[in-house]
C-alpha cells in the first residue's frame, strides 16, 4: 500500500486530493497548520478530512523545526500548499516557495519516490505576479532536484468563482474590462483525479481545465439566472482597475498582489485541455443555498 503526504490538506483542492487518494487505497498523511480548519467542513462543499486521513501532522511548512520527519515512510508527496489570500504575516515567497522547499528537503531526506506539485496554467504569461513568481521558483528547484516529479498546471478552481451567485443575490456584480476573456475552470474533485493519476505518470507537466469554456460575462449571466435577481452590473475599465491596484500597492503589498492576479487574468484567455464531468451550472445551483 502506497503512503502519500498531502500538503495543503485543508484547502479546497487539498481536501479533494485527500479523498481521492483515500478512495484509491492510499494511506494518507496530512500536513495541517490550523487544527481548527482540520475539524471543519471545507470551502464550497470540499469534503471534511478529519475522518479520511490515517495520520495528521500539525506543523507550519514555513517553520522547518515543526515538520522534522514529515516525510518518513512516505512514498509520494502531493503539495497544493500556497497562499490564496493575504494573511498579513507571510508573503507568497514565504509559503509558495520556501514552505514547499522545506517540504522538499524533508522528502529528499526521507527518500520519497515522487513529488506532485500544483502550480498554475500558462505561468509564463503571468510572471509579473509575485504569487506566480513564487510558484515557478519552486518548480525550477523541484525539477532540478534528485526526485521524480510532475507539475500540475490547472486553470481556475470552482472555489474561486463560488462567490458569483452570492454577489448576484446581494445585488452587485463587477467585472474588469469587457468581460469577454475566456476560461475553463475546474471542479476540485475532477482536478484531484488528475493529481492522483500523476503519481504513476511519466509526464513532467500536466495542463488541465474543466469540461466547459465560458467568458467572464457568461459566468456572470449564469450566476444571475440561478440567483433569480437583477443585480447592478458594474464593468471596471482596465485603466481604472490598474490605477486602483497601483494605489493599493502603496499601502498594502499583500492585497495588491491578490488584486494584480485578478486584473492580469481579466486581460487574457485561459483555455486549457478539457477534463472532468462537473458542470458549472450544477455547482452554482449548490451555491445558491449557501448563507450570504
Amino acid at each position: 500500500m502506497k503512503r502519500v503526504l498531502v500538503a495543503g490538506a485543508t484547502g479546497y483542492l487539498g481536501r479533494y486530493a485527500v479523498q481521492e487518494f483515500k478512495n484509491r487505497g492510499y494511506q494518507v498523511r496530512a500536513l495541517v497548520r490550523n487544527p481548527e480548519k482540520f475539524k471543519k467542513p471545507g470551502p464550497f462543499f470540499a469534503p471534511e478530512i478529519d475522518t479520511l486521513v490515517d495520520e495528521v501532522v500539525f506543523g507550519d511548512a514555513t517553520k522547518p523545526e515543526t515538520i522534522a520527519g514529515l516525510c518518513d515512510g512516505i512514498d509520494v508527496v502531493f503539495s497544493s500548499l500556497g497562499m490564496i489570500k493575504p494573511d498579513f504575516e507571510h508573503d507568497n515567497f514565504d509559503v509558495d516557495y520556501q514552505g514547499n522547499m522545506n517540504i522538499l528537503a524533508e522528502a529528499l531526506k526521507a527518500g520519497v519516490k515522487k513529488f506532485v506539485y500544483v502550480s498554475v496554467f500558462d505561468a509564463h504569461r503571468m510572471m509579473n505576479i509575485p504569487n506566480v513568481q513564487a510558484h515557478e521558483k519552486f518548480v525550477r528547484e523541484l525539477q532540478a532536484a534528485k526526485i521524480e516529479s510532475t507539475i500540475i498546471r490547472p486553470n481556475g478552481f470552482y472555489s474561486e468563482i463560488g462567490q458569483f451567485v452570492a454577489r448576484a443575490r446581494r445585488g452587485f456584480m463587477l467585472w474588469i474590462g469587457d468581460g469577454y476573456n475566456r476560461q475553463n475552470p475546474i471542479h476540485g474533485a475532477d482536478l484531484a483525479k488528475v493529481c492522483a493519476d500523476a503519481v504513476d505518470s511519466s509526464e513532467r507537466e500536466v495542463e488541465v481545465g474543466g469540461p466547459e469554456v465560458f467568458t467572464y460575462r457568461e459566468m456572470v449571466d449564469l450566476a444571475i439566472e440561478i440567483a433569480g435577481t437583477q443585480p447592478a452590473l458594474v464593468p471596471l475599465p482596465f485603466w481604472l482597475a490598474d490605477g486602483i491596484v497601483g494605489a493599493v500597492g502603496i499601502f498594502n503589498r499583500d492585497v495588491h498582489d491578490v488584486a494584480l492576479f485578478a486584473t492580469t487574468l481579466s486581460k487574457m484567455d485561459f483555455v486549457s485541455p478539457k477534463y472532468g464531468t462537473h458542470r458549472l451550472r450544477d455547482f452554482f445551483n449548490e451555491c445558491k443555498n449557501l448563507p450570504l
Side-chain angles (χ1 to χ4, degrees):
M1 180 182 293
K2 288 183 179 178
R3 302 181 70 186
V4 61
L5 169 75
V6 177
T10 58
Y12 175 71
L13 173 57
R15 289 173 180 271
Y16 281 109
V18 167
Q19 183 181 65
E20 184 63 27
F21 280 118
K22 192 65 181 174
N23 288 345
R24 296 189 185 201
Y26 284 76
Q27 281 194 314
V28 180
R29 180 183 297 168
L31 174 62
V32 174
R33 183 173 66 90
N34 187 333
E36 291 185 5
K37 287 180 68 175
F38 177 65
K39 298 176 182 178
K40 293 180 179 179
F44 294 104
F45 322 107
E48 297 184 41
I49 61 170
D50 58 337
T51 60
L52 292 176
V53 301
D54 298 285
E55 302 173 70
V56 58
V57 174
F58 293 107
D60 185 339
T62 66
K63 299 175 181 177
E65 67 277 8
T66 71
I67 61 169
L70 175 67
C71 297
D72 291 353
I74 291 294
D75 300 299
V76 178
V77 170
F78 169 77
S79 179
S80 56
L81 180 72
M83 285 185 65
I84 59 171
K85 60 183 179 180
D87 70 1
F88 308 107
E89 179 182 354
H90 303 94
D91 63 24
N92 292 115
F93 285 89
D94 293 334
V95 180
D96 299 33
Y97 172 69
Q98 192 58 55
N100 281 295
M101 284 297 294
N102 293 338
I103 295 170
L104 176 60
E106 290 293 325
L108 293 171
K109 191 186 304 181
V112 170
K113 297 174 184 176
K114 181 83 179 262
F115 198 119
V116 179
Y117 178 67
V118 180
S119 185
V120 294
F121 175 66
D122 263 7
H124 65 281
R125 294 201 289 163
M126 299 184 288
M127 291 304 292
N128 61 313
I129 304 171
N131 168 279
V132 178
Q133 294 169 10
H135 274 298
E136 291 304 292
K137 186 176 182 181
F138 177 70
V139 167
R140 292 192 294 272
E141 297 276 10
L142 176 58
Q143 293 183 327
K146 294 182 178 180
I147 186 172
E148 185 182 354
S149 64
T150 297
I151 310 303
I152 309 296
R153 296 192 175 279
N155 214 303
F157 298 174
Y158 272 24
S159 60
E160 294 168 355
I161 53 176
Q163 285 293 326
F164 278 31
V165 176
R167 291 172 190 162
R169 290 166 63 196
R170 292 190 186 102
F172 181 84
M173 299 291 288
L174 179 146
W175 66 70
I176 301 171
D178 61 17
Y180 289 114
N181 53 301
R182 300 164 66 243
Q183 58 183 289
N184 56 323
I186 187 168
H187 192 283
D190 288 334
L191 181 53
K193 293 180 186 298
V194 175
C195 294
D197 287 346
V199 172
D200 297 315
S201 171
S202 60
E203 293 185 80
R204 286 174 57 82
E205 301 198 7
V206 177
E207 297 180 340
V208 62
E212 303 169 295
V213 178
F214 298 92
T215 66
Y216 193 92
R217 285 194 179 202
E218 287 171 339
M219 290 190 289
V220 167
D221 289 344
L222 180 59
I224 292 170
E225 175 194 333
I226 288 171
T229 60
Q230 293 294 326
L233 302 178
V234 182
L236 193 66
F238 286 128
W239 65 266
L240 181 55
D242 290 339
I244 292 172
V245 171
V248 168
I250 297 173
F251 303 100
N252 191 304
R253 178 53 53 181
D254 291 328
V255 175
H256 166 271
D257 293 348
V258 173
L260 179 61
F261 190 80
T263 56
T264 302
L265 287 178
S266 299
K267 296 175 181 177
M268 308 176 187
D269 285 345
F270 284 90
V271 180
S272 45
K274 297 178 182 179
Y275 180 87
T277 60
H278 287 78
R279 303 288 172 173
L280 188 60
R281 175 178 290 276
D282 297 331
F283 177 71
F284 276 177
N285 269 315
E286 290 183 277
C287 290
K288 74 179 180 182
N289 298 316
L290 290 173
L292 290 174

